[in-house]
Amino acid sequence: MKKTLLAMGLAFGLTTALTMPAFAQAREVTFTTELRNYAGDGAYLALYLADANGRYQGTLWVAGGKSKYYKHLSGWARGSGLNAAEYDGLTGASLASGRTMKITLNLDDALIDSGYEIRIDTAVEDMRDHRADIAVPLTSEGSGQPQAGRGYIQSFQYDL
Amino acid sequence: MLRQLHGLPGLLAALMLAVLAITGAILALAPVMDRAAAVIPADGEVSVAELAGRVVNHYPGTEQIVRGASGEVIVYYYRDGQPGADLVNPMTGDRVAPYEPSPFFIWVKDLHRSFLLDDAGRMLAGTIAAVMVLLCISGILLLVRRSGGWKALLKPFTGSGGKRIHAELARFAVLGLLLSALTGSYMSAQRFGLLPEPVETGPAFPAEVSGGQPVPVATLSALMSVELGDLRELVFPYPDDPQDVYSLTTREGTGFVDQATGELLKYQPRSEGSALKQWVVSLHTGEGLWWLGLILGAAALTVPVLAVTGICIWWQRRRSPGLRPNNADVAQADTIILVGSEGNTTWGFARELHATLNKAGFQVHCSEMNALADQYPQASTLLVLTSTYGDGDAPASAQRFMARLEGFEGEKTLKYAVLGFGDRQFPNFCQFALYVDAALDKKGLARLHPIERINRCNASQFSEWGERLSEHMGVPFMLTYDPLPPATVTLELVERADYGLAVQAPTSILRFKVAGARQGWWSRFLSRKGAFPLFEAGDLLGVMPPNGEAARFYSLASSASDGILEICVRKQTDGLCSGYLYGLKPGDCINGFIRHNPEFRPAVGSHPIILIGAGAGIGPLAGFIRRNTARNPMYLYWGGRNAQSDFLYQPELGSYLNDHRLTGLNTAFSQSDEHAYVQDKLRQDQVAVRRMVDAGAQILVCGGRDMAVGVRQAIEDILKPLSTDVESLRAEGRYLEDVY
């Protein structure tokens, strides 16, 4: 799965939170998430940006079509307030066990190496929820380094 | 119409229905297993705060506590960065077992709700559930129509084979199936937006929390006031985040709990729609209602059998009647045959009639009754052969007949005859044929021959009707047709006992074995040929007379398990077949076949059985007594001519009385000093008979037609003081006749 997002969409969402100049440079970032082989339905995932204290800053991607299940992605749900404007245009299908999802987004340069981290909450129907299944700092060194999650995520990496 | 509504969707959905049903039955076990594994404290014994405190003692990394619908408590935690889930004892917080949802059940569930095909499969499964609702409702209506009223649904069904199995199973399971199908359709319709889905997002996270020092979970006041039984889920705050809160979901609603003050924040009661939805889910899955789950699961297990028998019934009805190629054109035909048939049995008779009339030189057009033309310009004879569905409804191929008859323009020269097919055991014997006969008369057509009614496909009755038809039509022909060309076995007479010669009622008890049958139990595995077909006393033995005429039937006096085939035959004056049988000597062989007659059987249970017969009619009755090894109360009233000459089964009846297989014997002899008939004995005993009928007794009558009429009259008189009559007993299956 490859989705390219207009710089506008995401940069705009984040500027409000970060009071960043609107003419900031943008960079293409690819997020690769691979799930473990677990016995169960497709997983719901929320990729979001948090500050160093884990406080929600903005939504990157939500995998899973039914908004009624979003409350199970509890860290993200709390931060975003499940406000539809937060994830509008940033959703796709749920991710089946063992599958890999690749998402490419345009991110503001200013977000990198500035103490932000990428978090992913995961949930599967009739199975447990994992808040911050993965939480990795968004840094230049971290690019291309796969990390294992503690829940359904087998490995996650971003490529700047 | 109703039948198409039942048959077509059923046929298309049969396989998928079977999958849904079998997987559903397996899933029904899950709530029972969950329940068995759960430790459930008494009401009010444990609060959520206590539970959480105990759990945290054992699991410092607790993230979530869930109480399942069956009462099981599951803890989700992290230990050394590794996720884990355990089933815990709420009394102690101890681990009971690791919690691992069974991959098998997950797979079955997926198969059940989506055929492993995600959303497209879910839609299909939802559609199939809706089809099932349709099948249940149309099936109930069909059952009502078939059995002749709502009340009759609770009484024993008649009929045999696939139809009987289908009806009996459906009656047992239909309410459960309807509940499963309705709830399943409801859930599916909600999922796909056909029904409004309750909003379940819950309250928004609190913008403000106290942010104070977190206190132990066991001391949080909001959690102390919630009983374990009401808990659904408690999600712990993210470690070391003072801004986070506990999320609490209970049976009644959802809210948050401040981890410092223990205050309940933003509580939102569950909406009515959401509670209703939860109920529907419970009714469908049996979650929290394990006993209901088991009932629904058992009902679901009938579906594969219903599907198979349903397809068989459809196939039987469907099998193309296969008209002969020389079917004359409507415009040219001088003779018209119209057929009203449900299971295609009547078509067999029609084909024979068609062929015979063709041979006799007629131009015959044969079609189903639904295809009644507006007129038959050249026709002078109209023959209608029809069965009846249920209480007097049209069978499948005649459902549009009455409507089409409105527009029919019959020539005044057209003469008609109606032949009904049915079973005398049912109330309203051949009722539809009677309606058709009356309707044709009202239309102004002339009768060629009065209506006749064939009982249970009786081949000789059909031949006799043919003789009379032949006279009316002025051309000699003979109708010989047996609807069930039977597989015959060769029977060898091994023993005979003769009675009644002195009183001009020569009657013999004939005992046969299968000729050349190998001895030993393995013979039945080696070959079906040469083995007895299965039969029971009360079934019929078909015997082909030597001249090749249609088979004659004799009631069997023994069961296959007796190892011998026994009939009781009275030699009729000029009787072709009875004379043939009467003339047999031990060692002689005949060809015969079994026709099952499950309608004529004593009921199972301990109610008294009153057997009434005369002459050779004692045969099946003696067979019933022989099989009465359970020693249920059984009384025999039997009439003969003279105790010295034709007291059939005298020695056997004596020994049955001794070992209590027979409770009471009352005989009447018409050529003795008392000059009594069996109905006289019944009247003498009327107090006892009435008492037995009142106690639920069943009456079985076997013998000649005149005797049966006399007995019926006697029983009718005897029943007068009771609020019942023969007709009501018959409808309840408590008055059975086997009459010849």
Side-chain angles (χ1 to χ4, degrees):
Chain A
M1 183 187 312
K2 178 166 169 129
K3 299 255 175 180
T4 304
L5 212 78
L6 290 178
M8 279 280 289
L10 192 65
F12 211 76
L14 292 175
T15 42
T16 32
L18 303 170
T19 58
M20 271 200 314
F23 49 80
Q25 279 292 50
R27 184 189 308 201
E28 204 171 68
V29 185
T30 302
F31 302 91
T32 309
T33 315
E34 184 191 353
L35 294 192
R36 292 181 210 284
N37 275 310
Y38 59 86
D41 269 3
Y44 272 51
L45 286 81
L47 276 78
Y48 58 102
L49 203 62
D51 67 12
N53 296 322
R55 220 164 276 130
Y56 170 87
Q57 299 297 321
T59 301
L60 297 171
W61 190 257
V62 181
K66 289 243 154 204
S67 60
K68 69 173 177 181
Y69 297 131
Y70 287 177
K71 63 178 175 185
H72 291 279
L73 304 166
S74 53
W76 169 75
R78 177 163 192 227
S80 67
L82 294 180
N83 186 350
E86 290 282 323
Y87 57 84
D88 211 11
L90 297 171
T91 59
S94 61
L95 186 58
S97 159
R99 295 296 183 79
T100 301
M101 171 174 82
K102 248 185 210 228
I103 298 158
T104 303
L105 302 167
N106 285 326
L107 278 193
D108 251 307
D109 266 346
L111 297 171
I112 296 154
D113 295 323
S114 309
Y116 291 103
E117 58 178 34
I118 307 285
R119 286 194 172 203
I120 306 180
D121 290 357
T122 55
V124 173
E125 190 188 0
D126 291 340
M127 294 171 71
R128 74 177 294 177
D129 305 338
H130 288 284
R131 191 168 29 176
D133 193 325
I134 210 152
V136 291
L138 181 62
T139 60
S140 309
E141 302 95 79
S143 172
Q145 306 288 326
Q147 302 265 351
R150 50 180 199 161
Y152 303 111
I153 297 177
Q154 172 83 29
S155 83
F156 169 78
Q157 75 176 67
Y158 54 89
D159 294 283
L160 297 175
Chain B
M1 180 59 198
L2 190 57
R3 205 169 311 142
Q4 273 96 311
L5 207 62
H6 190 74
L8 273 181
L11 205 62
L12 295 174
L15 185 62
M16 286 179 280
L17 275 172
V19 172
L20 289 190
I22 293 170
T23 50
I26 296 172
L27 292 174
L29 298 174
V32 185
M33 289 159 60
D34 287 347
R35 170 77 198 199
V39 179
I40 297 175
D43 276 357
E45 201 178 341
V46 178
S47 75
V48 173
E50 285 171 298
L51 169 73
R54 289 166 189 162
V55 167
V56 169
N57 281 341
H58 288 83
Y59 301 91
T62 298
E63 199 183 59
Q64 197 177 356
I65 300 175
V66 175
R67 183 182 178 274
S70 304
E72 74 279 20
V73 176
I74 300 150
V75 175
Y76 295 105
Y77 60 90
Y78 287 101
R79 187 174 284 155
D80 307 325
Q82 290 301 309
D86 283 346
L87 205 59
V88 297
N89 180 346
M91 307 300 290
T92 61
D94 273 335
R95 176 167 105 154
V96 175
Y99 175 71
E100 289 167 49
S102 145
F104 172 72
F105 270 99
I106 291 175
W107 181 80
V108 172
K109 189 172 176 182
D110 208 20
L111 185 59
H112 181 72
R113 63 183 181 186
S114 71
F115 299 107
L116 311 176
L117 291 171
D118 289 328
D119 263 4
R122 278 172 189 257
M123 246 180 247
L124 183 61
T127 312
I128 298 294
V131 168
M132 190 69 192
V133 174
L134 187 74
L135 287 177
C136 287
I137 293 172
S138 56
I140 292 173
L141 296 177
L142 277 175
L143 264 187
V144 169
R145 201 164 82 176
R146 180 180 186 270
S147 52
W150 289 93
K151 276 191 200 154
L153 280 184
L154 299 176
K155 294 176 183 157
F157 288 155
T158 47
S160 61
K163 272 187 181 171
R164 172 83 172 265
I165 297 172
H166 197 82
E168 291 279 7
L169 275 182
R171 173 168 69 173
F172 159 79
V174 72
L175 288 182
L177 294 177
L178 189 58
L179 181 60
S180 292
L182 271 176
T183 48
S185 312
Y186 183 91
M187 284 154 63
S188 186
Q190 222 168 32
R191 183 185 165 90
F192 290 107
L194 300 176
L195 286 173
E197 190 168 18
V199 184
E200 283 179 297
T201 45
F205 282 86
E208 289 287 317
V209 297
S210 71
Q213 185 62 35
V215 298
V217 64
T219 63
L220 296 171
S221 57
L223 297 185
M224 294 202 283
S225 64
V226 179
E227 210 197 298
L228 172 60
D230 289 336
L231 177 70
R232 283 280 151 77
E233 182 184 77
L234 177 67
V235 181
F236 281 55
Y238 201 65
D240 308 322
D241 181 354
Q243 296 300 312
D244 206 353
V245 287
Y246 289 89
S247 309
L248 174 69
T249 307
T250 67
R251 197 201 297 267
E252 285 86 24
T254 305
F256 303 96
V257 180
D258 192 301
Q259 50 178 324
T261 66
E263 203 185 334
L264 185 63
L265 309 168
K266 292 258 196 169
Y267 177 75
Q268 184 178 307
R270 174 186 276 269
S271 71
E272 270 173 34
S274 153
L276 171 69
K277 186 182 172 187
Q278 189 56 51
W279 255 106
V280 172
V281 172
S282 291
L283 289 177
H284 189 81
T285 59
E287 274 174 10
L289 298 167
W290 58 269
W291 52 270
L292 178 70
L294 285 188
I295 294 173
L296 296 186
L301 282 179
T302 63
V303 170
V305 186
L306 287 174
V308 170
T309 49
I311 290 172
C312 290
I313 293 168
W314 172 84
W315 180 250
Q316 235 168 21
R317 188 175 298 139
R318 172 76 219 192
R319 240 177 1 194
S320 139
L323 279 177
R324 293 179 177 259
N326 48 4
N327 200 23
D329 202 68
V330 173
Q332 266 98 55
D334 53 33
T335 305
I336 310 295
I337 301 172
L338 294 177
V339 184
S341 178
E342 180 68 30
N344 276 331
T345 316
T346 311
W347 273 105
F349 289 94
R351 274 194 292 272
E352 164 64 17
L353 180 61
H354 190 184
T356 306
L357 292 178
N358 255 336
K359 239 185 280 171
F362 291 97
Q363 294 284 316
V364 188
H365 173 79
C366 180
S367 74
E368 58 172 23
M369 288 173 75
N370 284 336
L372 175 73
D374 290 340
Q375 52 180 347
Y376 296 107
Q378 302 295 322
S380 56
T381 308
L382 172 65
L383 303 170
V384 182
L385 277 60
T386 184
S387 61
T388 295
Y389 185 75
D391 236 10
D393 290 330
S397 77
Q399 285 182 330
R400 294 188 294 280
F401 177 77
M402 288 299 195
R404 293 195 74 128
L405 192 59
E406 304 272 318
F408 179 68
E409 295 164 26
E411 303 290 316
K412 292 290 169 232
T413 52
L414 187 62
K415 290 185 164 184
Y416 75 94
V418 176
L419 186 62
F421 292 83
D423 187 333
R424 210 173 274 285
Q425 306 262 345
F426 286 85
N428 302 328
F429 175 49
C430 290
Q431 188 60 49
F432 181 68
L434 294 173
Y435 290 150
V436 170
D437 186 58
L440 289 171
D441 179 45
K442 208 171 148 218
K443 197 78 195 168
L445 272 61
R447 276 197 187 87
L448 177 69
H449 180 66
I451 182 168
E452 287 200 28
R453 295 179 288 174
I454 306 279
N455 185 32
R456 279 192 251 164
C457 301
N458 186 319
S460 50
Q461 249 186 306
F462 183 61
S463 300
E464 287 160 21
W465 180 76
E467 283 167 30
R468 289 186 278 277
L469 191 65
S470 160
E471 281 167 29
H472 286 299
M473 296 177 79
V475 179
F477 57 80
M478 258 188 34
L479 291 177
T480 51
Y481 174 66
D482 196 316
L484 312 161
T488 58
V489 283
T490 305
L491 298 166
E492 181 188 333
L493 184 70
V494 288
E495 194 186 345
R496 58 180 291 166
D498 300 313
Y499 296 86
L501 255 181
V503 288
Q504 291 76 50
T507 308
S508 289
I509 297 169
L510 305 175
R511 300 195 173 96
F512 297 90
K513 68 172 174 117
V514 175
R518 268 169 291 191
Q519 297 297 311
W521 58 270
W522 65 88
S523 61
R524 75 181 73 173
F525 295 102
L526 291 175
S527 126
R528 284 295 306 153
K529 235 179 156 186
F532 266 144
L534 287 176
F535 60 88
E536 278 183 52
D539 283 339
L540 303 171
L541 173 69
V543 179
M544 318 289 193
N547 64 354
E549 264 191 51
R552 303 289 198 274
F553 291 91
Y554 298 89
S555 295
L556 285 164
S558 65
S559 303
S561 55
D562 298 328
I564 199 110
L565 190 147
E566 180 176 299
I567 53 174
C568 187
V569 181
R570 157 90 189 271
K571 182 183 185 298
Q572 309 289 332
T573 334
D574 303 330
L576 230 167
C577 201
S578 64
Y580 163 61
L581 287 173
Y582 192 79
L584 294 175
K585 289 185 287 296
D588 287 352
C589 287
I590 61 164
N591 284 322
F593 60 93
I594 302 296
R595 175 162 310 162
H596 293 287
N597 185 21
E599 286 81 11
F600 193 67
R601 292 270 196 286
V604 184
S606 56
H607 291 306
I609 306 282
I610 304 173
L611 306 170
I612 304 169
I618 194 173
L621 308 182
F624 297 150
I625 300 167
R626 181 184 299 154
R627 291 212 85 186
N628 183 28
T629 46
R631 312 297 199 260
N632 288 323
M634 220 175 232
Y635 299 85
L636 175 64
Y637 291 86
W638 177 76
R641 293 195 177 180
N642 186 298
Q644 269 68 52
S645 173
D646 70 343
F647 193 168
L648 297 161
Y649 288 98
Q650 188 177 18
E652 288 90 344
L653 291 176
S655 71
Y656 298 156
L657 278 170
N658 280 338
D659 66 14
H660 300 289
R661 276 187 270 183
L662 181 60
T663 319
L665 171 64
N666 205 330
T667 53
F669 291 99
S670 58
Q671 296 185 6
S672 65
D673 292 342
E674 58 172 2
H675 292 297
Y677 292 97
V678 68
Q679 47 268 49
D680 302 327
K681 293 290 177 173
L682 285 167
R683 284 182 208 275
Q684 279 172 19
D685 265 8
Q686 57 173 301
V687 178
V689 170
R690 207 176 295 132
R691 200 180 321 117
M692 287 193 279
V693 170
D694 211 26
Q698 186 197 32
I699 300 174
L700 291 95
V701 183
C702 185
R705 195 161 300 280
D706 295 342
M707 181 227 56
V709 170
V711 167
R712 203 178 309 143
Q713 189 51 54
I715 297 288
E716 204 73 86
D717 294 343
I718 291 171
L719 293 183
K720 272 204 181 113
L722 301 178
S723 59
T724 187
D725 55 15
V726 168
E727 212 43 54
S728 319
L729 289 182
R730 198 195 291 275
E732 290 170 33
R734 287 171 57 199
Y735 193 95
L736 308 180
E737 289 180 325
D738 187 10
V739 174
Y740 43 84

